[in-house]
Amino acid sequence: MTLDAAAARIMTRCDELAAISALPDGILRAYLTEEHQRHNALAAAWMAEVEMETWQDAAGNQCARLEGREPGLPALIIASHLDTVPDAGRFDGIMGVLLGIETARLLAPYAKDLPFAVEIIAFADEEGARFGATLLGSRAMAGTWDPAWWEAVDAEGISMAQAFWDFGLDPERIDDAARAPKDLVGYLEAHIEQGPYLEAAERPLGLVSSIAGARRFRLAILGEARHAGGTPYERRRDALVGAAQAVLDVERIGRERGVIATVGQLETRPGAVNVVPGEADFSLDLRAESDALRDAAWQEIHAALAGFCAQRNLELVVEEIHAAPTVSCSPRLTRALAAGAAVTGDTDPITMYSRAGHDAMAMAAVTDIGMLFTRCEDGISHHPEENVMSTDVALALQALQEAVWVLAREHGERAAR
């Protein structure tokens, strides 16, 4: 089997998976749904082609294992996710799962030479499209499941716990999905970059140094709703004016400090055309290469918003709804991926931090992580026009295969000491 043929199979299977999950409003594969059942069944069939043992774990993750030179050895995990955002593209997550399956296919004839097992994991929920909480599949596997999630409800009012029962899973057995550090030798994840930097540099692959931790806030600016025609400007306490200034301050400070600061949602109340807005609710998503940079930016943003509200006789209300620390990739695994990139001809691969979150963030709680990025066309992701080149997929597969052998040699050398 050639790398090009394997890459072509990956591209075709990305299309197959998109076809089974195409809804009237675009591709959507959400957690614990019919589409989830269908994509797990497809992935299991593809894994079985490689003669791996397959199973669905207690969180709904689809798993497969290729034994090494003897049964029961600790495992190197290669993984990504199968779920999507609404109106998704074809490659986010699924390309990484298929790269793992094809890597296992390449390794299978030589599995008896491996000093560890190789497991391929298709995580069930990374995006959080149904219940809002993210990294559910990998958090379960890392043993960091939050019991508060059982009370989360979807748009139809179905609780997470009920969705588990409906799917055929037992919420009381969620801990069965957790893996112990002693049973793992590391975690590798290949993923499309979801940004424009590799394409701009004309590089097919990139190494990930760290994954940005995010802080997310619900913010509200409170003023006073009054008749738009009858209230002079000097008497207005317009909450939307405060929110508009907040959006500008968020972008300005994000640019100045080199962090990623985004207002993605904004709603006013009472929302009538002839009423001065009395309340403006909006979100803030804040990410950076380090927690220190991110937190310093938040302090400046908060001061700017509070200062403007004081000038306008408005009230600022802040609720932090999510906080995740920045996670660093393992130098050991990154070196192995760099050696993998070198066999593709790139002896000086680009290293970058991931501005987007990934399952690797959760898995860092239980084992070392490493990530490989593949460039995507125009940096577009979470969009139907998301695209990659088959030639880049072949190079990613070549790099992953070599990285596994590098780790196998290192593992054998350590065991021999």
Side-chain angles (χ1 to χ4, degrees):
M1 180 188 67
T2 67
L3 292 170
D4 288 342
R9 179 163 44 242
I10 289 172
M11 301 292 283
T12 298
R13 288 180 168 178
C14 285
D15 289 339
E16 286 181 47
L17 195 59
I20 71 158
S21 53
L23 302 175
D25 294 329
I27 295 171
L28 175 61
R29 298 190 294 272
Y31 193 36
L32 305 175
T33 61
E34 179 183 348
E35 287 74 32
H36 180 176
Q37 291 177 328
R38 295 170 72 187
H39 72 55
N40 270 16
L42 256 186
W46 294 335
M47 292 165 168
E49 287 178 357
V50 190
E51 299 184 354
M52 290 186 283
E53 176 192 2
T54 67
W55 71 97
Q56 179 179 272
D57 74 8
N61 300 312
Q62 181 59 46
C63 312
R65 180 177 172 97
L66 178 69
E67 294 289 358
R69 64 189 176 203
E70 60 186 72
L73 292 170
L76 173 68
I77 290 178
I78 305 175
S80 194
H81 61 97
L82 291 181
D83 68 304
T84 72
V85 297
D87 200 21
R90 296 176 296 153
F91 300 100
D92 175 7
I94 180 59
M95 186 194 74
V97 174
L98 291 172
L99 277 167
I101 294 171
E102 292 302 321
T103 300
R105 191 190 303 272
L106 292 170
L107 294 171
Y110 314 101
K112 297 303 181 184
D113 296 327
L114 289 172
F116 45 69
V118 174
E119 292 189 9
I120 311 304
I121 310 295
F123 286 120
D125 187 298
E126 189 250 24
E127 303 286 6
R130 184 174 180 186
F131 293 102
T134 61
L135 306 174
L136 296 178
S138 47
R139 286 285 299 273
M141 187 166 287
T144 57
W145 183 272
D146 186 348
W149 290 336
W150 295 123
E151 304 303 319
V153 296
D154 66 9
E156 297 179 357
I158 299 172
S159 71
M160 178 91 74
Q162 184 60 53
F164 258 64
W165 288 118
D166 293 345
F167 194 77
L169 298 172
D170 183 349
E172 294 183 3
R173 297 191 61 187
I174 189 66
D175 290 344
D176 292 352
R179 307 298 297 274
K182 66 180 178 61
D183 295 330
L184 303 176
V185 299
Y187 172 94
L188 297 177
E189 182 170 355
H191 206 282
I192 61 173
E193 181 198 348
Q194 300 183 287
Y197 299 100
L198 286 175
E199 185 180 66
E202 299 183 346
R203 297 287 194 87
L205 305 176
L207 307 178
V208 178
S209 58
S210 63
I211 305 170
R215 294 179 69 180
R216 293 175 183 166
F217 301 86
R218 288 194 187 103
L219 301 168
I221 293 180
L222 309 180
E224 184 180 34
R226 297 182 64 150
H227 195 292
T231 307
Y233 283 112
E234 60 272 16
R235 297 286 300 275
R236 292 187 180 196
R237 297 173 57 213
D238 190 327
L240 182 54
V241 171
Q245 183 61 48
V247 173
L248 294 173
D249 285 337
V250 164
E251 184 188 45
R252 173 182 59 80
I253 294 167
R255 286 177 176 270
E256 290 173 354
R257 286 192 169 266
V259 304
I260 301 164
T262 306
V263 175
Q265 299 170 320
L266 193 154
E267 183 179 4
T268 63
R269 305 177 198 282
V273 67
N274 59 345
V275 179
V276 174
E279 180 177 346
D281 302 318
F282 57 103
S283 63
L284 173 61
D285 181 279
L286 194 58
R287 310 166 188 238
E289 188 169 8
S290 72
D291 294 346
L293 279 173
R294 181 199 63 197
D295 295 346
W298 165 243
Q299 292 300 321
E300 186 173 349
I301 288 170
H302 184 266
L305 271 56
F308 186 81
C309 286
Q311 294 172 15
R312 290 281 185 145
N313 195 22
L314 300 168
E315 179 184 353
L316 174 66
V317 179
V318 176
E319 178 188 6
E320 186 166 8
I321 58 173
H322 173 79
T326 297
V327 173
S328 295
C329 290
S330 157
R332 172 177 66 94
L333 296 182
T334 303
R335 284 194 301 270
L337 289 169
V343 302
T344 73
D346 188 353
T347 57
D348 186 25
I350 288 177
T351 300
M352 64 182 70
Y353 82 96
S354 174
R355 293 152 174 86
H358 300 285
D359 287 301
M361 297 178 73
M363 292 301 292
V366 72
T367 192
D368 288 346
I369 63 166
M371 282 200 72
L372 180 72
F373 274 169
T374 301
R375 67 180 159 190
C376 53
E377 185 177 340
D378 198 32
I380 291 176
S381 183
H382 285 187
H383 188 278
E385 293 183 11
E386 183 179 271
N387 195 30
V388 298
M389 292 189 292
S390 181
T391 50
D392 289 356
V393 174
L395 294 174
L397 178 58
Q398 185 179 15
L400 270 179
Q401 179 191 19
E402 177 64 19
V404 174
W405 286 119
V406 169
L407 292 171
R409 289 192 292 271
E410 290 180 356
H411 192 86
E413 289 169 2
R414 284 197 303 271
R417 289 176 191 153

